[in-house]
Amino acid sequence: MVTLTKLPGAPARARPTPGAPEPKPENAHDRCPECGGTLARDPQHAEILCQSCGLVVAEKEIDYGPDWRAFDAASNERRAHTGAPMTESLHDYGLSTTVGRGSRDAMGKAIPSSKRLQIARMRRLHQRTTFGSGAERNLARAITEIHRVASALDVPRAVAERGIRIYRRAAAESMIQGRSIEGIAAAALFAACRLAGVPRDPEHFTRASGVDKRTLLRLHRLLVREFKLQEPQPTAQDYIARFGSKLHITHVAEARARELVRRADEKGLTSGRSPAGVAAAVLYLGSRDVGEPRTQKEVAEAAGVTEVTVRNRARDLEPVLDAPMRVEPAAEPVHN
DNA sequence: ACCTTATTCTATCGGAT
DNA sequence: ATCCGGTAGAATAAGGT
């Protein structure tokens, strides 16, 4: 724990800003004894130093500012001063205690040899009853597995922990019986990835976890159904900006494309279709509508779909084309 | 393990500009 | 020559029995 510093009159700060030693000018009466320059405090290093000559006036200052106080259970948890952080990564959240091995008791007194045997026995029993129970052991196995696969696939730690949380829930609701731990573990991590918006290819999962793709997806569906997990579904709108900029179209064309998607969604013309394909088609039609046409080939390439798909989606969209959003005045003047 | 359904992809062709 | 529009069959996804 870093000792915090605080000068009289300075605002109380409970926590140093991490990574920013921001020396701040202090009050006028705080002057450097050497050069008379302004003093500043550096909470990171618990020092007070002169801004002009760099003299360290005081070190290891005590923070006399108010301590953090907790008024409810939630802040109590956040503001607790002791203990390792809780984590999903250990089967018992890292909160369990164990019987130690030392030859001295908590007060530092030597433990008489007559009691040593008894304590060793307690330790053994304690371990067996906590970690040794079937459910705990399986949970630990699952967590190990999730971490293993997560690191093989470069899944961020926070996402892996979310996967573990899902697994715990599945275990709590007796969904593991009759299914493989590895399978549920992989599916839980897979679901966590999708929920976090960083989906992984099921193929990679299969390779990293040894769970075959079909099983993985089936268990994943089970988890989604049971827990009503809401995965963010990418929409065509999400892709328009990205593909649009690849195609170097103007905002006018992009706006037209968005308008088309909106109308198509209303009429249910996009459901079941790949959002990338829809995005490609509206960009094709939209850019053409506003007089900066792109070929099917170009939009297809930008969207990573084939020209056929562009054509098919474009054909689907015909019903919404009859009321074009005229951005520029009609090109052809009428003579008569 | 096998079957069903829907969608997209690959490959290809003919017509239009 | 390139673009466009359409078709046939393979591949894939998701699902059910």
Side-chain angles (χ1 to χ4, degrees), chain A residues 286-306:
Chain A
S287 61
R288 195 180 59 182
D289 283 357
V290 300
E292 40 181 304
R294 296 293 182 274
T295 66
Q296 295 179 354
K297 189 177 174 179
E298 286 170 321
V299 294
E301 197 172 334
V305 300
T306 61

Side-chain angles (χ1 to χ4, degrees), chain A residues 44 94 117-118 123 160 248-249 283:
Chain A
Q44 281 290 285
L117 210 62
Q118 192 187 345
R123 180 166 54 230
H248 299 107
I249 61 171
L283 284 166

Side-chain angles (χ1 to χ4, degrees), chain A residues 8-310:
Chain A
R13 300 176 37 155
R15 280 184 182 170
T17 313
E22 46 156 316
K24 262 192 188 165
E26 290 301 332
N27 297 339
H29 53 269
D30 293 316
R31 290 292 176 190
C32 174
E34 283 292 319
C35 66
T38 315
L39 294 181
R41 87 202 133 87
D42 175 0
Q44 281 290 285
H45 301 96
E47 290 171 353
I48 297 171
L49 46 86
C50 172
Q51 283 197 300
S52 329
C53 66
L55 175 75
V56 176
V57 178
E59 294 178 85
K60 305 208 166 100
E61 280 286 297
I62 295 167
D63 186 357
Y64 295 105
D67 192 7
W68 287 65
R69 294 188 60 193
F71 300 100
D72 56 58
S75 54
N76 192 22
E77 214 170 276
R78 280 201 311 277
R79 296 180 178 182
H81 282 206
T82 59
M86 280 185 40
T87 174
E88 292 283 343
S89 302
L90 297 173
H91 70 100
D92 53 12
Y93 299 95
L95 291 177
S96 63
T97 55
T98 56
V99 178
R101 306 194 137 269
S103 58
R104 293 180 175 275
D105 68 16
M107 310 298 280
K109 287 185 192 145
I111 296 171
S113 58
S114 59
K115 293 231 173 184
R116 296 254 178 102
L117 210 62
Q118 192 187 345
I119 288 173
R121 204 171 121 76
M122 281 168 61
R123 180 166 54 230
R124 218 163 41 235
L125 282 171
H126 183 63
Q127 277 184 359
R128 280 186 197 158
T129 50
T130 54
F131 190 76
S133 81
E136 294 279 324
R137 206 171 42 230
N138 286 343
L139 188 51
R141 244 181 76 200
I143 288 170
T144 306
E145 176 66 6
I146 288 175
H147 277 311
R148 193 182 65 73
V149 176
S151 82
L153 297 177
D154 283 326
V155 173
R157 192 180 180 77
V159 177
E161 300 233 336
R162 191 166 187 178
I164 291 169
R165 214 149 49 231
I166 294 171
Y167 182 94
R168 282 184 192 282
R169 203 170 150 197
E173 302 192 13
S174 311
M175 290 166 59
I176 319 289
Q177 273 94 341
R179 305 190 172 93
S180 82
I181 292 172
E182 286 78 7
I184 301 277
L189 182 60
F190 184 71
C193 289
R194 302 259 293 236
L195 288 168
V198 284
R200 290 295 192 282
D201 188 346
E203 293 290 346
H204 298 164
F205 253 83
T206 293
R207 217 167 309 142
S209 69
V211 178
D212 76 51
K213 196 168 76 177
R214 222 181 138 66
T215 307
L216 173 74
L217 293 174
R218 192 161 38 79
L219 293 175
H220 171 248
R221 283 196 297 276
L222 177 75
L223 293 175
V224 169
R225 205 177 332 127
E226 287 297 315
F227 297 156
K228 311 235 182 305
L229 304 177
Q230 301 217 5
E231 300 181 349
Q233 305 266 358
T235 75
Q237 297 282 5
D238 297 332
Y239 290 119
I240 287 178
R242 233 179 51 232
F243 300 158
S245 83
K246 272 196 202 173
L247 292 165
H248 299 107
I249 61 171
T250 65
H251 292 293
V252 181
E254 207 175 295
R256 172 65 176 161
R258 290 188 188 283
E259 170 70 10
L260 291 175
V261 177
R262 204 183 52 71
R263 289 190 206 164
D265 281 340
E266 271 174 16
K267 294 207 175 190
L269 298 174
T270 60
S271 78
R273 269 66 207 264
S274 88
V278 174
V282 294
L283 284 166
Y284 170 68
L285 296 170
S287 61
R288 195 180 59 182
D289 283 357
V290 300
E292 40 181 304
R294 296 293 182 274
T295 66
Q296 295 179 354
K297 189 177 174 179
E298 286 170 321
V299 294
E301 197 172 334
V305 300
T306 61
E307 293 166 69
V308 179
T309 302
V310 176

